[in-house]
């Protein structure tokens, strides 16, 4: 957290420029209160970048719309029933919401929306004290009825009222506590942590889409491990993504780690580090992070106790891929994400045969072909999966993968390998063999692709000769 005086100076500058000043003047002229609220105020004191401008006011939605229309370039009725109007002012998007004093039906997380009449009342109904601070504009008065500043200084997530009431009102707040813990590096207060554990079953009334959103936001934080551990320790993971806590039951086959669960968290940490170093400035890669977290979930189902006290997990890559796709489908992830994560998990062990002996160019081509557009993610996942404490072995694996990447680069430059195709297309195959479109064309295409992968590029004449030889052998058979 940065010094309070520095934060206040930042807020003063924010309030005096751009859409904040424009809005403050317009609401004051109309005789209504306006305050910057929640995340922007919190992040200003934490020295974090402010990405959203959220306001609250005593004006009704109709009054908000009337005030902002003359001063904005666009308006969106994003949530009139909930009191929220969005607008674009001075090139920035803002949201303004009427004071709320909702009552919740505990059979669902949908509140009976009631508009309030005081800023303090609105703040006390918010999720956490650090999000329940507001800056009145243009007066520049900090309003903090729940002592959020004290919790901000202490790095604690606490609910404005009792956590049982807060989480009972909206069980999604349990997941938000976990996500904010990772995002802000804060500790969840003891009473809130206990309440999450005791009330975890109520997450069932939250829509799968909202659970997906919070889980995705958690994984996109800079350091999600803290949140995942809290998700597991609280028992919530059992209800949302049970394959993760199941990993705690298994020791890995090399006995290098306490359990596969801790190994998976370490792989996630290392994948994020590699993601940032290889692609600085890029947005968080959710597909890569899901694959890193889930890459070993096939181990519990494939565990075998071998002679001599060894443990094996044969085919856990294939089994894990199927389990991951099933879980991600249940969590309503999109089809592209599901397919990409499944593919990465299925392929994550492929490299480890490379270090045992030199791969042929054909094997390298197949590695690239099978990875397809997931090759860069597979590079990162495979490197991150090396968590051995044996420095010599870790160095050997790193050098081996460096060599593999160098070979891929060299072959790609020589052959444009990213788009490996047979040397003859379907129309050429039909013309050469004198056959119409049929399954046989596909078989011929697959044969030529195997030749291409084994031997590299052929001339059209060479490919034609190989095709005719294949056709003759097939006809004789």
């Amino acid at each position: 957290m940065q010094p309070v005086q520095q934060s206040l100076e930042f807020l003063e500058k924010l309030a005096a420029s751009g859409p904040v000043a424009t809005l403050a003047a317009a609401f004051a002229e109309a005789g209504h209160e306006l305050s910057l609220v929640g995340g922007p105020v919190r992040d200003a004191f934490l020295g974090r970048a402010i990405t959203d401008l959220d306001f609250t006011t005593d004006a009704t939605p109709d009054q908000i719309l009337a005030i902002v229309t003359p001063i904005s370039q666009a308006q969106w009725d994003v949530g009139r029933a909930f009191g929220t109007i969005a607008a674009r002012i001075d090139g920035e998007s803002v949201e303004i919401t009427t004071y709320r004093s909702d009552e919740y039906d505990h059979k669902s997380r949908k509140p009976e929306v009631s508009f309030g009449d005081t800023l303090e009342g609105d703040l006390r109904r918010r999720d956490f004290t650090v999000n329940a601070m507001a800056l009145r504009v243009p007066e520049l008065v900090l309003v903090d009825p729940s002592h959020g500043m004290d919790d901000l200084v202490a790095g604690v997530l606490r609910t404005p009222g009792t956590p049982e009431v807060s989480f009972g009102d909206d069980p999604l707040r349990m997941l938000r506590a976990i996500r904010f813990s990772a995002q802000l590096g804060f500790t969840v207060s003891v009473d809130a942590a206990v309440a999450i554990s005791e009330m975890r079953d109520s997450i069932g009334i939250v829509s799968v889409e909202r659970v997906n959103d919070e889980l995705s936001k958690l994984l996109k934080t800079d350091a999600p491990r803290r949140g995942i551990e809290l998700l597991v320790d609280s028992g919530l993971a059992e209800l949302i993504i049970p394959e993760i806590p199941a990993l705690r039951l298994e020791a890995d086959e090399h006995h290098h780690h306490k359990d596969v669960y801790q190994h998976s968290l370490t792989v996630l940490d290392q994948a994020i580090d590699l993601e940032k170093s290889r692609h600085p400035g890029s947005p968080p890669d959710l597909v890569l992070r899901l694959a890193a977290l889930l890459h070993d979930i096939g181990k519990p189902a494939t565990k075998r106790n071998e002679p001599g006290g060894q443990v094996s997990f044969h085919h856990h890559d294939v089994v894990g891929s199927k389990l991951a796709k099933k879980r991600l489908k249940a969590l309503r992830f999109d089809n592209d994400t599901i397919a990409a994560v499944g593919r990465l998990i299925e392929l994550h062990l492929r490299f480890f045969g490379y270090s045992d002996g030199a791969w042929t160019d054909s094997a390298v081509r197949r590695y690239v072909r099978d990875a397809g557009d997931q090759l860069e993610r597979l590079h990162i996942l495979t490197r991150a999966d090396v968590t051995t404490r044996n420095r010599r072995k870790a160095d050997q694996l790193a050098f081996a993968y460096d060599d593999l990447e160098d070979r891929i680069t060299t072959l790609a430059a020589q052959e444009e390998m990213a788009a490996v195709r047979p040397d003859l297309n379907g129309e050429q195959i039909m013309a050469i063999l004198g056959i119409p479109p049929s399954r046989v064309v596909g078989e011929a295409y697959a044969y030529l692709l195997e030749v291409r992968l084994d031997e590299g590029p052929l001339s059209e004449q060479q490919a034609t000769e190989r095709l005719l030889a294949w056709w003759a052998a097939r006809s004789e058979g």
Side-chain angles (χ1 to χ4, degrees):
M1 179 170 169
Q2 66 182 10
V4 172
Q5 185 59 40
Q6 184 178 343
S7 301
L8 291 173
E9 290 174 358
F10 174 80
L11 285 170
E12 287 177 3
K13 291 180 181 178
L14 180 65
S17 62
V20 182
T22 301
L23 276 172
F27 274 78
E29 184 178 349
H32 287 288
E33 299 175 359
L34 184 71
S35 297
L36 190 64
V37 68
V41 179
R42 177 200 70 215
D43 289 342
F45 285 102
L46 291 174
R48 294 168 54 90
I50 294 177
T51 55
D52 299 304
L53 290 176
D54 297 324
F55 298 86
T56 188
T57 179
D58 62 340
T60 65
D62 288 340
Q63 291 170 330
I64 295 171
L65 196 56
I67 293 169
V68 301
T69 297
I71 61 172
S72 59
Q73 294 79 55
Q75 310 83 38
W76 299 276
D77 193 353
V78 294
R80 181 186 291 266
F82 296 95
T84 301
I85 300 294
R88 180 168 292 278
I89 300 174
D90 296 338
E92 293 192 49
S93 296
V94 302
E95 288 191 0
I96 308 107
T97 302
T98 305
Y99 295 156
R100 299 260 295 270
S101 59
D102 303 337
E103 294 183 2
Y104 284 78
D105 172 6
H106 289 181
K107 294 181 181 179
S108 74
R109 62 174 297 270
K110 296 181 179 179
E112 186 70 35
V113 177
S114 300
F115 296 138
D117 53 13
T118 68
L119 174 59
E120 289 79 3
D122 178 272
L123 293 175
R124 289 193 178 95
R125 54 164 285 282
R126 292 178 178 261
D127 53 5
F128 305 106
T129 61
V130 297
N131 295 334
M133 298 184 292
L135 183 73
R136 288 189 186 274
V137 291
E139 303 94 324
L140 297 181
V141 174
L142 183 66
V143 181
D144 182 17
S146 301
H147 307 291
M149 185 61 70
D150 292 340
D151 290 334
L152 205 64
V153 172
V156 174
L157 284 171
R158 195 186 314 277
T159 56
T162 64
E164 290 79 9
V165 170
S166 182
F167 299 153
D169 284 347
D170 185 358
L172 185 66
R173 289 173 175 172
M174 297 187 292
L175 285 180
R176 285 172 61 82
I178 290 169
R179 191 248 298 178
F180 279 127
S181 176
Q183 181 177 317
L184 304 176
F186 281 16
T187 301
V188 176
S189 68
V190 173
D191 57 345
V194 170
I196 291 172
S197 183
E198 292 179 347
M199 301 176 68
R200 61 185 182 272
D201 288 341
S202 64
I203 200 67
I205 70 172
V206 178
S207 72
V208 174
E209 289 78 7
R210 298 304 298 273
V211 171
N212 175 314
D213 184 56
E214 282 300 325
L215 182 61
S216 297
K217 286 179 178 177
L218 167 60
L219 285 172
K220 289 178 182 178
T221 61
D222 285 341
R225 183 176 189 141
R226 174 199 291 261
I228 294 167
E229 289 176 334
L230 183 54
L231 191 70
V232 170
D233 293 343
S234 68
L236 270 173
E238 293 278 0
L239 305 172
I240 295 172
I241 188 163
E243 293 80 3
I244 301 305
L247 295 175
R248 294 183 299 178
L249 303 177
E250 309 296 342
D252 80 67
E253 65 268 44
H254 306 297
H255 307 289
H256 291 156
H257 308 279
K258 182 180 180 182
D259 52 33
V260 180
Y261 168 65
Q262 290 297 330
H263 164 72
S264 297
L265 293 181
T266 300
V267 172
L268 175 61
D269 288 341
Q270 294 184 167
I272 292 172
D273 289 343
L274 285 167
E275 172 194 331
K276 291 176 180 178
S277 64
R278 289 172 71 114
H279 305 287
S282 296
D285 189 338
L286 180 60
V287 167
L288 173 65
R289 297 178 185 203
L290 282 166
L293 180 63
L294 301 175
H295 77 285
D296 273 348
I297 62 171
K299 283 189 171 180
T302 57
K303 179 183 178 182
R304 297 291 182 271
N305 294 314
E306 305 290 355
Q310 295 297 309
V311 178
S312 68
F313 302 98
H314 296 307
H315 307 301
H316 76 267
D317 45 351
V318 177
V319 173
S321 176
K322 293 178 180 178
L323 291 174
K325 288 189 283 190
K326 183 178 180 180
R327 176 56 54 196
L328 295 179
K329 182 177 180 181
L331 287 169
R332 308 281 175 83
F333 280 90
D334 63 90
N335 290 337
D336 288 344
T337 296
I338 294 171
V341 173
R343 193 62 170 155
L344 287 167
I345 293 173
E346 182 181 351
L347 295 174
H348 82 274
L349 291 181
R350 182 75 65 85
F351 158 74
F352 290 97
Y354 184 88
S355 60
D356 296 334
W359 280 6
T360 62
D361 286 350
S362 172
V364 175
R365 293 187 191 100
R366 283 182 168 79
Y367 188 79
V368 174
R369 179 197 64 179
D370 292 346
D373 59 2
Q374 300 305 311
L375 182 61
E376 172 59 12
R377 286 177 173 140
L378 184 60
H379 288 333
I380 295 175
L381 177 61
T382 302
R383 288 179 180 275
D385 197 23
V386 177
T387 60
T388 176
R389 295 189 182 96
N390 184 322
R391 177 44 51 191
R392 182 171 174 272
K393 183 175 182 180
D395 287 344
Q396 285 178 336
L397 289 169
F399 294 149
Y401 208 93
D402 288 343
D403 182 65
L404 176 58
E405 285 203 67
D406 287 343
R407 289 182 65 189
I408 288 172
T409 299
T410 300
L411 283 172
Q414 293 173 349
E415 306 175 11
E416 296 184 0
M417 195 170 52
V420 172
R421 294 181 177 84
D423 298 290
L424 300 174
N425 61 32
E427 291 183 357
Q428 291 171 305
I429 290 170
M430 289 187 288
I432 292 168
L433 299 181
I435 59 176
S438 64
R439 186 182 66 181
V440 176
V441 178
E443 293 175 0
Y445 188 93
Y447 165 72
L448 289 174
L449 177 59
E450 289 300 311
V451 172
R452 172 74 168 78
L453 290 167
D454 284 335
E455 302 176 24
L458 301 178
S459 68
E460 184 175 341
Q461 180 179 347
Q462 290 173 318
T464 299
E465 291 173 355
R466 299 297 293 273
L467 174 64
L468 290 172
W470 171 83
W471 180 247
R474 185 179 185 280
S475 300
E476 292 174 1

